[in-house]
Amino acid sequence: MAPLQDMAHAKINLFLHVTGRREDGYHLLDSLAVFAGAGDRVTLSAASGDEDSLTLHGPFSEGLEADDNNLVLRAAKALRHEIGTTGRTLPAAALRLEKHLPVASGIGGGSADAACALRLLARHWQLPDDMAPRAAPTLGADVPVCLVQKATRMEGIGDILTPAPALPEMGILLVNPGVSVSTPSIFRRLAATGGITPRPALSFPETGWPTLASLIAFLDTTENDLQPHAIAQEPVIATVLERLAALPDVRFSRMSGSGATCFALFDSADKAMAAARHLAGQDCAHGWWHWAGPVLP
Ligand SMILES: C[C@@](CO)(OP(=O)(O)O)[C@H](O)COP(=O)(O)OP(=O)(O)OC[C@H]1O[C@@H](n2ccc(N)nc2=O)[C@H](O)[C@@H]1O
Ligand SMILES: Nc1ncnc2c1ncn2[C@@H]1O[C@H](COP(=O)(O)OP(=O)(O)O)[C@@H](O)[C@H]1O
């Protein structure tokens, strides 16, 4: 069998409202998630042994372990469990993860890797369509949206998904200042300050956003409720946001997820790439990770 390969794309929360808290401590969200061309690559080859295995490669593989805690191997285990008794007898998979996305950075890299592994394993084992979506939420709140990997409104804790209305063509620049941020610690900070901002229910336009201006007019009515808490923990995020807002041709900027990656929107991928070159020339951006290109359709 030829190896199977798929991309685990970066998820960006264009806005993120925390609307409530469940009894188990998980927060209810309302968020518009889109995916960028940036991503990790996962490859699956048939293996002869009886254990699934993982090897790590790429610029952000250092600091990650290829052990049972890695979300790629956790995905394989969760999928076998979901399948039931026959899950244990399915052929072993040799998985290879090429890590290009910064770890613990608010763009769901680990969740995207898990979702990507689920998609590949479901193809490898020729599983029915509902099997990977059943395993996804057991791996993390962001894994279901990463399985879909298309612009989506996320509600509940990330388990209620609705396809987003049509989005305009745009370019995106992602910038991470090289600090990792733990998602639970940012939700804890939010909870400690009372957390929930009361707001009227938000409605998305049924016909979508025909232009970037119309999308930005909508985003201007929203926030990322986790952003102030992430800045309080890692003040360098505020510096990233200042730099993004000052870039040529920038139309909008904000932090994604629980941070620290921030994004800026542009009329085109070319303009995003030109702004990335401009930023890379600044002293403050030394050691910052960035990626610029298209938002996936
Ligand atoms: C904040 C978001 C927004 O898309 O993105 P990231 O910053 O991780 O990219 C996600 O909700 C993150 O999803 P994910 O990273 O999969 O979270 P999980 O592993 O399930 O949960 C980690 C911890 O975050 C908190 N958590 C997570 C999701 C949620 N809806 N409410 C929460 O309170 C809980 O404390 C939980 O124990
Ligand atoms: N394949 C993986 N890639 C990234 N992180 C992983 C992976 N497997 C396990 N993890 C763990 O998951 C945590 C969350 O990682 P990640 O998904 O990158 O965060 P975020 O959703 O904030 O971008 C990290 O602290 C990391 O230790």
Side-chain angles (χ1 to χ4, degrees), residues 37-195:
D40 300 333
R41 186 184 298 278
V42 184
T43 310
L44 183 161
S45 309
S48 48
D50 27 76
E51 295 244 334
D52 300 321
S53 63
L54 175 65
T55 56
L56 297 177
H57 310 262
F60 284 104
S61 58
E62 274 176 35
L64 274 184
E65 299 290 336
D67 61 11
D68 289 351
N69 290 321
N70 195 291
L71 279 154
V72 171
L73 284 181
R74 283 180 54 203
K77 194 172 174 191
L79 194 55
R80 286 183 183 276
H81 177 80
E82 208 56 54
I83 295 162
T85 350
T86 52
R88 274 180 251 134
T89 61
L90 287 167
L95 293 148
R96 177 184 200 277
L97 170 61
E98 212 177 285
K99 195 79 199 158
H100 295 279
L101 299 176
V103 175
S105 71
I107 51 175
S111 309
D113 296 343
C116 193
L118 291 178
R119 287 194 300 272
L120 290 173
L121 288 161
R123 270 166 70 192
H124 179 50
W125 291 331
Q126 300 182 353
L127 301 179
D129 287 349
D130 66 333
M131 210 54 89
R134 273 169 40 191
T138 70
L139 293 158
D142 254 0
V143 183
V145 76
C146 291
L147 194 60
V148 178
Q149 212 164 231
K150 286 198 165 77
T152 299
R153 183 178 191 170
M154 304 167 66
E155 292 172 279
I157 63 160
D159 52 334
I160 303 173
L161 303 180
T162 317
L167 288 159
E169 201 186 311
M170 58 186 145
I172 195 162
L173 167 62
L174 304 174
V175 177
N176 183 285
V179 291
S180 61
V181 171
S182 132
T183 302
S185 86
I186 302 304
F187 275 109
R188 266 198 305 275
R189 278 177 174 268
L190 173 112
T193 58

Side-chain angles (χ1 to χ4, degrees), residues 169-172 212 251 265-274 293-294:
E169 201 186 311
M170 58 186 145
I172 195 162
L212 185 55
R251 302 288 304 276
L265 300 180
F266 298 82
D267 287 316
S268 66
D270 283 347
K271 283 190 173 164
M273 288 189 271

